[in-house]
């Protein structure tokens, strides 16, 4: 007897669960706002150094015609573009600017008079306000990188809070902090306070999204968990697309940040609607509170829970406490337990690499839409829209074609499509965009697969540890992803080529992992070591599915 059996009596996805589930899906939209906002908050428009003869009060980016740029700015021998961070040391008289040959004998001077920005696409951004260009250009990527560091820290901090203090208080603490520091980022007077505020917001996305994810899936039956998990990811994709809609109507970066933050206020009212996880309450021995929630769900679903089920749950809770006390005397599992045995070590390192590549490529493509050419807002919206068919693909194929087949196939498709950008003729921007979007669709499907596939590879005794370590490696990929944008300034397809090469490599290496579909999950370290050595692995335990939810999600 277990809580999953209670869910069966309630209805695996009854009226009560549906109402709570869909309410919990909505915060995923706001989390997407914050995770993708940096594309517009830190947008870097075309820039040129203000020349000495230009008046700062009246000078515009377009004041100097493009055909005159060779007279002012030297060409970069690598990129073939004008080096607009410096200019020729010459008197910019009318006669000189009406000529056709640049005067190069005096060399160049680094920009010190200020910068002029092309405002045709972006009215302003944090980059233009604080001049995060030229020698300071890396600071914009660093800000996004620190945001992802916040996501990593938040998964640790709020994950621990969720297990110790409860899902509900952790969700609302994260939400309040997200609102406060989201607004503080919008009013930040300088780069440092803006970056720190955004890093804290990044941490809260873990608390809001992941905790809502766990609450939602802890109340649905096992046969609906794949649908429920994937559908919540679709709400994140909706938020992805809506971010572009906000940016289309709001052109000032500070007001954009406020507009993306304030919808979080709507979820404060959830305090009186969303219950604590009954599963968590039972694990903590708070059975009376859990029974009240179960009774409320039963009443709304129009069913009755037999009294003997409550008695069995009480016995189960008591037994679980004894098991926890015995487990407390045993050494805690660590990631080193996954690395001591050759076959388990090989699989663990392959999984770590897959997580690193999936996260790095996903965010690298998501944040690189401004460098693809063409309509940047349209590129961004398409990048979010292609995630929907990716998740639909998982719903229909993941339990039919196998985890390894989907993971390998989607990563190979992503790799090939991104590497094809090498062969795109100059000026064919739409072809680069098409290849990038195919790659984004494929890597999204791959990212959705790796969660389940990894949980089924790690033995039960170290599953939480394995997923936690995998998530940490994934965040490292996300932390490095913002710097790919800088490479696009050297050569437009370069970020896509790097992402493609990583995807192709990871896809091929995934073939070395054993298939897990319809296979019993390994329980012990010995099971994990033996799993995959033979075509028909024999494991000492059956299933483990009743523990799958907590183990798969709490450390994600």
């Amino acid at each position: 007897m277990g809580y999953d059996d209670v869910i069966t009596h309630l209805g695996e996805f009854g009226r009560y669960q549906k109402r709570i589930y869909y309410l919990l899906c909505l915060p995923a939209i706001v989390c997407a706002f914050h995770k993708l906002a940096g594309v517009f908050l830190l947008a870097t428009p075309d820039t040129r150094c203000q020349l000495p003869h230009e008046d700062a009060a009246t000078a515009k980016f377009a004041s100097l015609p493009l055909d005159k740029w060779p007279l002012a700015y030297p060409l970069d021998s690598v990129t073939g573009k004008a080096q607009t961070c410096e200019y020729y040391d010459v008197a910019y008289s009318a006669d000189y600017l009406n000529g056709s040959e640049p005067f190069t004998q005096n060399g160049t001077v680094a920009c010190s008079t200020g910068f002029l920005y092309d405002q045709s696409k972006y009215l302003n951004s944090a980059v233009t306000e604080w001049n995060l260009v030229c020698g300071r250009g890396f600071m914009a990527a660093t800000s996004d990188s620190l945001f992802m560091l916040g996501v990593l820290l938040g998964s640790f901090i709020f994950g621990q809070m969720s297990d110790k203090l409860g899902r509900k208080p952790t969700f609302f603490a994260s939400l309040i902090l997200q609102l406060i520091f989201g607004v503080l980022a919008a009013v930040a007077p300088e780069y440092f306070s803006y970056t720190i505020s955004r890093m804290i917001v990044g941490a809260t996305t873990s608390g809001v999204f992941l905790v809502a994810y766990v609450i939602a899936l802890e109340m649905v039956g096992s046969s609906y968990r794949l649908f429920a998990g994937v559908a919540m990811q679709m709400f994140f994709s909706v938020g992805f697309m809506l971010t572009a809609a906000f940016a289309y109507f709001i052109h000032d970066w500070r007001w954009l940040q406020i507009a993306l933050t304030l919808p979080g206020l709507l979820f404060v009212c959830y305090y009186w609607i969303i219950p604590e996880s009954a599963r968590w309450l039972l694990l903590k021995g708070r059975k009376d509170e859990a029974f009240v929630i179960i009774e409320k769900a039963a009443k709304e679903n129009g069913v009755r829970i037999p009294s003997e089920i409550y008695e069995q749950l009480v016995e189960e809770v008591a037994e679980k406490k004894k098991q926890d006390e015995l487990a407390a005397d045993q050494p805690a599992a660590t990631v080193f337990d996954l690395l001591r045995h050759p076959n388990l070590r090989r699989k663990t390192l392959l999984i770590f690499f897959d997580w690193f590549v999936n996260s790095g490529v996903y965010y690298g493509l998501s944040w690189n839409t401004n460098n693809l050419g063409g309509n940047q807002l349209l590129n961004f919206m398409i990048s979010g829209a292609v995630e929907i068919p990716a998740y639909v693909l998982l719903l229909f194929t993941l339990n039919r074609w196998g985890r390894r087949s989907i993971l390998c196939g989607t990563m190979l498709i992503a790799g090939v499509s991104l590497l094809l950008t090498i062969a795109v003729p100059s000026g064919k921007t739409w072809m680069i965009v098409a290849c990038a979007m195919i790659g984004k669709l494929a890597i999204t499907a791959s990212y959705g697969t790796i969660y389940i596939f990894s949980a089924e590879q790690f033995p039960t005794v170290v599953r939480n540890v394995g997923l936690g370590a995998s998530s940490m490696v994934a965040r490292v990929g996300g932390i490095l992803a913002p710097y790919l944008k800088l490479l696009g300034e050297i050569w437009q397809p370069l970020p896509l080529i790097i992402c493609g090469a990583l995807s192709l490599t990871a896809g091929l290496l995934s073939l070395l992992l054993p298939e897990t579909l319809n296979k019993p999950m390994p329980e012990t370290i010995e099971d994990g070591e033996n799993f995959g050595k033979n075509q028909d692995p024999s494991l000492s335990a059956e299933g483990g599915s009743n523990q799958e939810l907590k183990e798969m999600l709490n450390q994600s």
Side-chain angles (χ1 to χ4, degrees):
M1 177 67 194
Y3 185 72
D4 282 340
D5 298 298
V6 177
I7 294 294
T8 302
H9 280 84
L10 284 176
E12 294 202 26
F13 201 38
R15 181 178 176 183
Y16 176 83
Q17 291 103 310
K18 288 178 182 177
R19 177 172 62 85
I20 301 299
Y21 171 77
Y22 288 118
L23 286 174
L24 286 170
C25 283
L26 296 177
I29 295 175
V30 175
C31 289
F33 288 167
H34 291 296
K35 280 196 171 183
L36 281 305
V39 173
F40 304 105
L41 301 177
L42 292 165
T44 304
D46 290 336
T47 308
R48 71 176 181 87
C49 183
Q50 178 186 322
L51 298 175
H53 73 287
E54 293 180 304
D55 184 2
T58 59
K60 302 291 183 183
F61 179 82
S63 298
L64 186 70
L66 279 174
D67 62 333
K68 300 296 182 183
W69 279 32
L71 297 174
Y73 307 111
L75 287 179
D76 189 311
S77 58
V78 176
T79 65
K81 300 177 181 178
Q83 298 185 63
T84 54
C85 295
E86 57 187 49
Y87 56 88
Y88 290 122
D89 185 10
V90 64
Y92 288 92
S93 62
D95 289 340
Y96 176 75
L97 291 173
N98 286 329
S100 59
E101 292 295 327
F103 184 80
T104 61
Q105 282 81 348
N106 292 345
T108 60
V109 178
C111 190
S112 59
T113 52
F115 297 94
L116 301 174
Y117 299 100
D118 182 5
Q119 294 181 308
S120 62
K121 295 179 180 177
Y122 299 101
L123 177 64
N124 62 27
S125 69
V127 168
T128 63
E129 183 168 330
W130 298 320
N131 291 327
L132 306 180
V133 293
C134 297
R136 290 159 55 90
F138 72 95
M139 295 174 70
T142 299
S143 183
D144 274 337
S145 182
L146 290 174
F147 176 91
M148 292 304 296
L149 176 62
V151 174
L152 169 62
L153 296 175
S155 64
F156 282 112
I157 296 169
F158 292 112
Q160 292 294 320
M161 285 180 59
S162 175
D163 284 340
K164 291 184 178 180
L165 304 180
R167 317 305 195 206
K168 186 173 179 177
T170 302
F171 175 83
F172 286 102
S174 306
L175 181 62
I176 297 302
L177 287 173
Q178 188 174 98
L179 288 166
I180 292 172
F181 284 94
V183 172
L184 287 178
V187 300
E190 35 71 40
Y191 170 83
F192 181 77
S193 56
Y194 164 83
T195 299
I196 295 300
S197 297
R198 283 275 295 162
M199 184 170 71
I200 295 174
V201 169
T204 64
T205 61
S206 294
V208 172
F209 179 74
L210 291 180
V211 174
Y213 192 87
V214 170
I215 295 175
L217 267 70
E218 282 184 340
M219 66 174 61
V220 303
S222 58
S223 62
Y224 282 90
R225 284 176 192 156
L226 176 61
F227 164 79
V230 172
M232 185 172 276
Q233 296 287 349
M234 290 184 184
F235 279 82
F236 185 91
S237 302
V238 170
F240 194 130
M241 292 182 282
L242 287 177
T243 306
F246 274 87
Y248 178 80
F249 290 105
I250 304 172
H251 299 154
D252 182 274
W253 76 271
R254 292 184 182 275
W255 285 111
L256 176 61
Q257 171 65 19
I258 290 175
L260 294 173
T261 299
L262 291 183
L265 282 171
L266 297 173
F267 307 124
V268 175
C269 68
Y270 278 16
Y271 189 82
W272 295 275
I273 303 174
I274 302 298
E276 180 57 90
S277 168
R279 189 185 295 266
W280 180 84
L281 289 171
L282 287 170
L283 288 173
K284 294 299 180 180
R286 294 160 61 176
K287 59 182 184 299
D288 293 336
E289 297 172 67
F291 292 166
V292 169
I293 295 171
I294 293 171
E295 278 297 319
K296 183 178 180 180
K299 183 179 180 180
E300 187 169 334
N301 289 351
V303 300
R304 182 180 174 276
I305 305 296
S307 58
E308 56 267 22
I309 288 184
Y310 290 118
E311 296 172 2
Q312 291 171 333
L313 276 176
V314 171
E315 295 175 0
E316 184 184 73
V317 169
E319 181 64 26
K320 180 68 169 60
K321 281 187 175 181
K322 291 180 181 179
Q323 293 176 0
D324 289 343
E325 291 172 0
L326 292 174
D329 297 332
Q330 301 297 321
T334 69
V335 70
F336 296 107
D337 294 320
L338 293 168
L339 302 176
R340 288 194 178 100
H341 308 277
N343 185 44
L344 191 56
R345 177 172 59 245
R346 177 180 61 84
K347 292 186 295 182
T348 298
L349 294 177
L350 287 172
I351 290 170
F352 284 175
F353 184 64
D354 281 342
W355 278 79
F356 173 83
V357 171
N358 273 274
S359 178
V361 173
Y362 176 86
Y363 286 107
L365 294 177
S366 298
W367 290 333
N368 193 53
T369 52
N370 285 350
N371 289 335
L372 296 179
N375 188 312
Q376 296 170 354
L377 279 173
L378 181 60
N379 292 345
F380 187 88
M381 184 165 286
I382 295 173
S383 182
V386 297
E387 294 188 1
I388 303 296
Y391 290 128
V392 172
L393 174 72
L394 294 184
L395 287 176
F396 287 100
T397 63
L398 203 53
N399 286 336
R400 295 182 181 180
W401 296 355
R403 282 69 156 122
R404 184 178 64 179
S405 301
I406 299 298
L407 179 67
C408 174
T410 51
M411 294 190 80
L412 290 178
I413 291 172
V416 171
S417 63
L418 295 175
L419 288 174
L420 282 176
T421 56
I422 299 175
V424 173
S426 178
K428 298 291 185 180
T429 300
W430 69 269
M431 294 181 68
I432 290 181
V433 173
C435 289
M437 294 307 127
I438 294 172
K440 178 65 185 302
L441 186 154
I443 205 65
T444 300
S446 172
Y447 210 172
T449 305
I450 193 67
Y451 278 89
I452 296 175
F453 193 40
S454 300
E456 294 172 340
Q457 295 280 353
F458 292 125
T460 299
V461 292
V462 285
R463 188 165 295 131
N464 277 351
V465 171
L467 288 175
S470 299
S471 179
M472 183 180 69
V473 173
R475 302 308 172 203
V476 173
I479 289 169
L480 296 176
Y483 294 102
L484 284 174
K485 293 188 296 183
L486 300 179
L487 299 178
E489 298 175 6
I490 300 174
W491 184 33
Q492 185 183 14
L494 186 55
L496 304 181
I497 293 169
I498 293 174
C499 290
L502 287 171
S503 298
L504 191 65
T505 302
L508 292 172
L509 290 176
S510 296
L511 291 173
L512 300 176
L513 291 168
E515 179 57 76
T516 60
L517 180 62
N518 298 325
K519 302 288 180 64
M521 296 172 71
E523 294 285 347
T524 66
I525 293 293
E526 183 181 0
D527 292 337
E529 173 65 13
N530 291 332
F531 185 42
K533 279 187 175 180
N534 304 308
Q535 292 295 321
D536 185 21
S538 176
L539 299 180
S540 63
E542 296 178 5
S545 60
N546 285 347
Q547 298 298 323
E548 180 179 351
L549 175 68
K550 181 176 183 295
E551 294 161 342
M552 284 178 58
L553 301 175
N554 282 0
Q555 294 298 326
S556 63

